[in-house]
Amino acid sequence: MDIGVDGRIDQGATVNAGAVQNDMLRSARFRVEREAHWRQLDALVTRAEQGGAAALGYDEVRNLASGYRQAMNSLSVARDISLDRALIAYLESLCARAYLVVYAPQESLGGLITRLLTQGIPQAVRRSALPLFIGFLALILGALAGYRLYENDPSWFYTFVPPEMADQRTPDASADYLRSTIYGDEGQHDSDRLAAFSAFLFSHNTSIVVLIFTLGVFVSVPSFILTFYNGLILGAFFAMFARKGLGYDVFAWLSIHGVTELAAIAIACAGGARLGLAVLLPGARTRKEELRYQAHDAVKLAILAALMLVVAAFIEGFLRQLIQDPTLRLVIGWGMGLFWIGWLLLGGRESKASREAAR
């Protein structure tokens, strides 16, 4: 009871003091009734933060999930009845920590990358049969068209192949000069020049792949056309060497890096095609939902194409320059092709025993 300066009882101060006291009693009673569950959840969360969720047993994981739900309910009640701020802050912190343990990925960055390489990318490739068909079809049709057009009229070479890419390797060049560009003294380059050349090739090829992939969202047509154009360059280039009697040599020269590099271009086109097909044929979903759904696999295809370009740049920048034997070039190039096929067809497949256990 408070006395005012005029000697009268301050009824307002008495009421306020009583309200504060009642709030404290409610908070204390609320804490006593539930504090044991919060402490148990806090202990489980601490153990999971230190050793991961795998450190908990089955019953502990079950208690963790139920404790998280109880703590969220307690936090909701505490906010509704306006309990003291210290208690609400404690519950908010506890619930946030428990949420991360229950729902956040428990893998390290290395674990995520490993799962992406062993499961995510191979499974995405196997789910992309139609887009991959579109990508490789565009490249093959372009190569055949470029070859046939050059056979009919060599002047088509100047239409398809940019001058900076031709680098004096033109239909007017002699067979000896063209042969020197396949073998020559490329193996005598020092390591610094080879590294710079490899970096340039990776940058150039990456820009093409990124362009092909991103243009796919426009109903796949620009990606198909750009991939087809790359095929035209390849076909015209091969036809020029073949007419000079260097077909086997240029095939080996292209194979050592081209199997990986050209496959990366076709795969990037397939990733863009997945986005384009989502816009063109959304099915039961809205276009926005289908685009979001297809983007998961499309991005994995883009990552695969980037990875293959890294390998292709190394092979083209180093091995192709250092290895002059055409047979060995063929073995390396198509051996890499078999490696990619084996990884993408077999990676991420569950064994029969695993499927039975899952059922």
Side-chain angles (χ1 to χ4, degrees), residues 348-359:
R349 291 188 182 273
E350 295 182 352
S351 64
K352 184 177 180 181
S354 298
R355 290 193 296 270
E356 292 293 335
R359 283 197 292 267

Side-chain angles (χ1 to χ4, degrees), residues 74-109:
S74 298
L75 176 60
S76 177
V77 173
R79 286 171 171 169
D80 287 342
I81 63 178
S82 302
L83 295 183
D84 67 89
R85 293 181 180 179
L87 177 60
I88 293 176
Y90 168 75
L91 289 175
E92 287 177 342
S93 174
L94 178 61
C95 290
R97 291 169 57 212
Y99 174 85
L100 293 176
V101 171
V102 173
Y103 292 106
Q106 298 298 314
E107 289 181 289
S108 62
L109 179 60

